[in-house]
Amino acid sequence: MLVILWDPDTLLHKTVELLGSNLIPALESPERLEAILKALHNSEYRAGTRPLSSLWEGPKSRLLELTSETHGHEYLRHLRNVYEEWLSAGLIEQDGHVLPECFVFPTSTGKPLRPPRDLFARAGYYAFDMSSGIMSESYRAMIASANLACEGTDMLCGFDDRPNDIDTVVALCRPPGHHCDGQRAGGYCYINNAALAVSTWRSHQSDAQIGILDIDFHHGNGTQEIFYADAKVLYVSIHGEDEFPYYTGVEDETGSGEGKGMNINLPLKVGSPIEEYLEKLDYGLKKLVEFKTEFLIVSLGFDTFHADPLGHFQVHTEDYETIARTTRQALKEVPALVLLEGGYVIEHIGANMLSFLKGWKSA
Ligand code: OKP
Ligand code: ZN
């Protein structure tokens, strides 16, 4: 059985970004999720689409504990408080947006990195780009998004006395997560939802073999970083070569220490035909099967769509059906958590999700 989770609180985050040299409403918008929900509600998946809103009295301590396994305490404190701090200091008006200015850079001093004292400057210590604005409701949305990954994982693991007829949970997360390395925000990501899913699964089964298939158009630098030395997490990513986030995603990044060989980057030239995309997918899936993946996390981005403003692949609506079917056929019956990452064509994102679900269910 396949369940789709979302949380109305995730719709509250609505910020700005610097794209090119223009300050614009962030392309990672509530309308993306609304379009997906609209498509689901008019489909056979209506009954399986469940709103979660269990956070009314604040996030559960379990969620925060699991999140702090990979996210620095000071970083999380920043995410929680920075909007109010900037407001009190007069750095923004009510309903304004926190956007960083000066970022951390490498030095030869050997000094440990430390956050600047200046409140305005500090935002740049906890971010790596200018597509990670923070407004009044952002923290609430981030926590709600992360909670979907956590609750979704719990539904799948069947170790408690839960009915475990659920084999797939699709978590309609926003903000997304794969660019966040646990210490800084960037690329619309603040909390790494995939990493939280790993921590959640491990709270039930500590030695599990966990596979992450990242099929967002962009390289998941954050997920790669968090699991780079981890022998029990295999990270496989297919992404646009030389594209955002620019500094990661090359094939020679294969993992370190115990995790050597456990990081597989499959960059693809922009404009490549779908056949080449599917070849990379087959290769990645073969590795995930050989690894004996016991829990599969799919970081799913619809910015691979041919018309996406931030992606430049040749993937069409019907191809998501093939991608999903191929993935599920390779890893049949493995409990799977599908996390929404990017995808910025509002008019097609709903149809693309339906196509993906059709392929997944028909595997
Ligand atoms: C987030 B996700 C390109 C600017 C890109 C941020 C893109 C974030 C993508 N010149 N700005 O992976 O979909
Ligand atoms: Zn992306």
Side-chain angles (χ1 to χ4, degrees):
M1 188 167 97
L2 180 149
V3 169
I4 302 167
L5 300 180
W6 68 287
D7 187 318
D9 281 0
T10 66
L11 295 166
L12 300 172
H13 169 68
K14 191 179 172 82
T15 185
V16 293
E17 67 171 312
L18 196 78
L19 188 62
S21 50
N22 303 310
L23 192 65
I24 59 165
L27 298 189
E28 199 293 282
S29 67
E31 288 75 25
R32 300 174 56 242
L33 178 57
E34 281 163 354
I36 294 173
L37 290 172
K38 192 171 164 211
L40 292 171
H41 281 273
N42 294 318
S43 78
E44 62 181 289
Y45 305 104
R46 185 192 177 108
T49 303
R50 303 183 187 168
L52 278 191
S53 215
S54 49
L55 300 170
W56 195 247
E57 279 136 39
K60 288 191 214 101
S61 59
R62 173 157 184 268
L63 174 65
L64 296 178
E65 272 162 36
L66 292 169
T67 305
S68 42
E69 285 183 15
T70 42
H71 297 70
H73 183 262
E74 288 306 309
Y75 171 65
L76 291 170
R77 197 209 57 83
H78 167 80
L79 295 178
R80 190 173 66 242
N81 298 337
V82 68
Y83 173 82
E84 290 296 334
E85 288 172 351
W86 275 40
L87 193 62
S88 317
L91 292 170
I92 42 169
E93 313 261 280
Q94 191 74 45
D95 300 325
H97 305 258
V98 173
L99 257 200
E101 178 201 48
C102 181
F103 301 100
V104 180
F105 46 87
T107 70
S108 307
T109 61
K111 288 184 186 171
L113 296 177
R114 59 161 187 82
R117 277 195 201 101
D118 184 276
L119 178 60
F120 181 66
R122 212 177 300 152
Y125 182 80
Y126 293 116
F128 68 83
D129 76 352
M130 297 184 82
S131 49
S132 47
I134 296 177
M135 43 73 79
S136 56
E137 305 301 316
S138 295
Y139 181 71
R140 189 175 173 124
M142 293 167 206
I143 289 293
S145 182
N147 187 54
L148 294 174
C150 185
E151 294 280 329
T153 305
D154 278 343
M155 284 182 174
L156 285 165
C157 73
F159 290 114
D160 308 330
D161 293 325
R162 294 167 188 264
N164 57 353
D165 54 338
I166 300 173
D167 60 64
T168 304
V169 173
V170 178
L172 301 178
C173 297
R174 81 167 287 272
H178 72 152
H179 295 302
C180 173
D181 64 6
Q183 313 300 328
R184 56 193 65 75
Y188 310 136
C189 302
Y190 308 83
I191 290 175
N192 193 305
N193 302 317
L196 180 60
V198 170
S199 292
T200 305
W201 191 277
R202 284 176 168 171
S203 74
H204 301 281
Q205 185 196 9
S206 57
D207 63 346
Q209 302 271 112
I210 301 177
I212 304 178
L213 176 67
D214 189 330
I215 48 172
D216 183 278
F217 174 79
H218 303 96
H219 180 241
N221 61 291
T223 312
Q224 164 170 303
E225 179 68 22
I226 291 166
F227 298 111
Y228 207 61
D230 197 319
K232 302 296 275 181
V233 174
L234 177 61
Y235 177 72
V236 176
S237 175
I238 308 171
H239 51 269
E241 189 169 74
D242 300 325
E243 292 281 327
F244 181 90
Y246 308 115
Y247 299 98
T248 60
V250 178
E251 265 161 348
D252 67 7
E253 296 157 13
T254 55
S256 65
E258 310 244 290
K260 194 87 202 150
M262 294 295 123
N263 195 88
I264 302 179
N265 284 330
L266 304 171
L268 183 64
K269 291 206 173 3
V270 300
S272 300
I274 184 71
E275 290 73 21
E276 281 179 39
Y277 185 94
L278 295 173
E279 274 171 33
K280 302 261 180 204
L281 181 64
D282 280 337
Y283 179 82
L285 290 171
K286 199 178 87 193
K287 295 293 174 183
L288 287 161
V289 170
E290 283 169 12
F291 178 63
K292 302 200 188 326
T293 298
E294 294 172 277
F295 172 44
L296 174 68
I297 299 168
V298 180
S299 271
L300 172 62
F302 291 109
D303 44 7
T304 48
F305 189 57
H306 66 93
D308 198 277
L310 296 180
H312 314 283
F313 279 164
Q314 287 302 316
V315 178
H316 289 73
T317 298
E318 61 274 20
D319 297 323
Y320 290 107
E321 187 181 334
T322 310
I323 291 167
R325 184 183 300 115
T326 309
T327 302
R328 197 48 171 160
Q329 275 173 352
L331 292 150
K332 250 190 159 56
E333 283 155 35
V334 176
L337 178 70
V338 179
L339 300 172
L340 183 64
E341 301 283 355
Y344 306 98
V345 186
I346 310 290
E347 298 73 26
H348 294 274
I349 195 168
N352 290 342
M353 177 60 90
L354 293 182
S355 174
F356 184 92
L357 293 172
K358 186 175 173 200
W360 191 274
K361 287 197 78 168
S362 70

